[in-house]
Amino acid sequence: MSLVIGKLESAPDLRSVRQVAAQVLAQPSTRVRLAVALRVSELLCAAIDELLTRHPDDGAALDTGIYRPCRTTPHTGTALSELLRVSDGAEAYLLELGAFDDYADVIAGLVEVSAFRQETDDLVLHRCLLAVHAAAEVFLRAGQGKLTPTEHASAVEPARYPKGDVKHAVVRTALRPVLGHHQIMTLNCAACVDAEMPPRVAFTSYQENLCWFTDWATAHRDDGDIMAAIQTSLTGDSLGGTQDLGQWGQWRARNGIGDGFSRWLAQLDHLTKKVSNPALLHTGVLCAMTPLVRKVIVASVSYGSYHFWPVHRQMSFDDYVRHICASIGGMVRGWAVDHDSEAAIGEHNLLNWVCRACATAATRDALSPRNAQAKRDDARMRIAWGPQTYFYFGQRHHGFARRVDNLREQDRFAGRELDIRPIPRHCSPVVAGDNVPDIVSKLLALCGADAGKIDEDALGIDTWDCTPRLCAECAFDGQRAQLFMISVGAARLACLLPRHYRAEFVRLMDTYGFRLFPAVQTRLLVQCACLPRWIADVLSHGYADAGTWCGQSDCTTPARQPLPPDIGETDEYDHVPLPDTLLRQAQTEARRYAADTGRTDWLAVVARPLKI
């Protein structure tokens, strides 16, 4: 083994590693396979370090705070032999659990000699990152499992924001036109498409990259029936089927390579749930590792999470360097929202593997307007700041409720409350051209509330220091008012409502989210390169206004009162389901957009379900 390590350490670049791998993988062990993958990952991290040194103020630098060492990190160990501790620790732990064989099969499927001899650099890099991710997930669970639970903070019970089950909502909306999709289904959109793609191909990519839908049926979570329903809703006579996508179909090769890994990772969650202390918060197990080990783990775990590999073109080594940085930022933005609710149901989250100080700094940097404005090309912007509608609103992670609670802790809302008059509940959708008073009136009417006449600047739009970067094609009348309300206005409004109305308003916002703003919902589904830029502006100012902690919420704060029960999308107004009313208005906005831009082929796709 020492000979193999020496050859790999002497290989200065990917080309040289491929030559060594073609020799040493002829009769490999799992340890040899991981030595190859770890050396490739080490080369990527060296290139990331160089990039961050050369460009300390661009998007890559601001996305990678959690990648860099903690102040408590021991500054020793720089060789491949140090990285092999990850492989050895993972192997020992799985042997102890009697679960090594499945893991070895996954590694063998990823790091195989034929790939190094025949496949592109792109796919070799993909394989190596996934293999290291597999080892890292086991290694960190092993480390966390050795901790004494009483010496660390644990997830608060009952959970302040219990993780919601939205699978039935996913099935319902998968069968509806794309314009009416539940927020969980728009998460990948910006990352999956390119402005030059034909719309049918773009939404084939969107369909085939819907996060986690294919991965969890093997996770022993008693949701096999609903997962089968999700699969049925998205396959069969689908948008893409088996059609040849030509230059645009690169994601299919990556997904094919990663399928086995994703399913194994779901099984690992189930296997280790009771023995790896997943309820512990901010343990710092990752902070206790050497800088090189930390970097390789963060890079691989951020790249490999959630079957999220929708890039439609072939990537070079240098592309991967920037792509990994963007992936770290994108994943931290998700982890920051749900690290507490994940721990509460016994699921691991990278923010709980670092100390509270690291989590706090990473959250602040990743969610900040400065990060949103940082320099990135279009491809990296789509990965770093795809519209995280899943996290910003939604009954899964209660993003809106979290921001409202954070705001209510601030002095500026102390003792302030609107004088509300009860009225019959009714629905008049927000439309392009509405101003802030119009939007406030329409949103409150959904709750059966009337605040009377309010000023245009009642919620602070005049001092909202944000200029969302919509291009001329995507711009629409009244956009600033709608985007202001999404960013900060609606949460501020909730803080001013009496308790009963506030609870109902929060429930509606988290349930229907962006669909309450049909002109915005429409533009979340366009193929324009401006999408991740303006959504980053809107979301980052919302996070900054509400404030952040060790995540979006302080994970140590107990629930003051239960959240309103999730009654699903059952709201009706004048005997018409609210989702139907919102969808009709989104269709109106989409037709107007298509007429103004000439994108009738786009309209033909988004006006129908993913399954045709």
Side-chain angles (χ1 to χ4, degrees), residues 511-527:
T511 300
Y512 298 100
F514 285 88
R515 289 176 294 175
L516 294 168
F517 303 86
V520 178
Q521 168 80 352
T522 294
R523 284 157 180 81
L524 285 171
L525 294 163
V526 302
Q527 293 172 238

Side-chain angles (χ1 to χ4, degrees), residues 68-103:
R68 293 188 283 275
C70 173
R71 57 184 174 78
T72 65
T73 297
H75 290 272
T76 58
T78 58
L80 179 58
S81 56
E82 178 69 19
L83 289 175
L84 280 169
R85 291 180 55 206
V86 177
S87 170
D88 296 343
E91 181 170 336
Y93 184 61
L94 290 174
L95 285 170
E96 181 182 327
L97 295 178
F100 178 73
D101 289 348
D102 287 344
Y103 165 76

Side-chain angles (χ1 to χ4, degrees), residues 403-576:
R403 293 195 304 284
V404 171
D405 287 346
N406 284 4
L407 281 170
R408 290 183 62 225
E409 295 176 4
Q410 299 177 17
D411 291 341
R412 56 178 160 154
F413 293 101
R416 298 176 60 192
E417 190 172 281
L418 291 173
D419 184 16
I420 296 295
R421 178 175 66 91
I423 60 173
R425 295 168 74 251
H426 66 273
C427 176
S428 176
V430 174
V431 300
D434 281 349
N435 59 25
V436 169
D438 294 333
I439 297 169
V440 169
S441 177
K442 290 179 176 183
L443 293 178
L444 290 182
L446 296 173
C447 307
D450 177 27
K453 182 176 177 58
I454 70 166
D455 295 334
E456 175 72 20
D457 190 39
L459 299 173
I461 191 172
D462 288 351
T463 54
W464 186 47
D465 187 22
C466 178
T467 305
R469 289 168 285 174
L470 281 81
C471 70
E473 274 197 350
C474 293
F476 62 95
D477 188 23
Q479 68 185 38
R480 182 167 177 81
Q482 291 201 33
L483 296 176
F484 164 78
M485 289 300 295
I486 289 169
S487 179
V488 301
R492 293 174 181 177
L493 174 61
C495 293
L496 299 174
L497 296 176
R499 177 175 173 179
H500 167 72
Y501 290 110
R502 182 172 63 245
E504 176 65 359
F505 185 73
V506 167
R507 182 191 68 81
L508 284 166
M509 292 298 298
D510 261 338
T511 300
Y512 298 100
F514 285 88
R515 289 176 294 175
L516 294 168
F517 303 86
V520 178
Q521 168 80 352
T522 294
R523 284 157 180 81
L524 285 171
L525 294 163
V526 302
Q527 293 172 238
C528 187
C530 79
L531 168 54
R533 298 191 186 280
W534 66 257
I535 199 68
D537 299 329
V538 170
L539 270 55
S540 64
H541 278 267
Y543 289 128
D545 191 59
T548 60
W549 302 79
C550 52
Q552 186 181 349
S553 306
D554 184 349
C555 64
T556 63
T557 302
R560 292 190 178 91
Q561 61 190 65
L563 289 173
D566 179 8
I567 61 174
E569 299 179 6
T570 59
D571 298 276
E572 292 188 357
Y573 297 84
D574 295 325
H575 306 293
V576 178

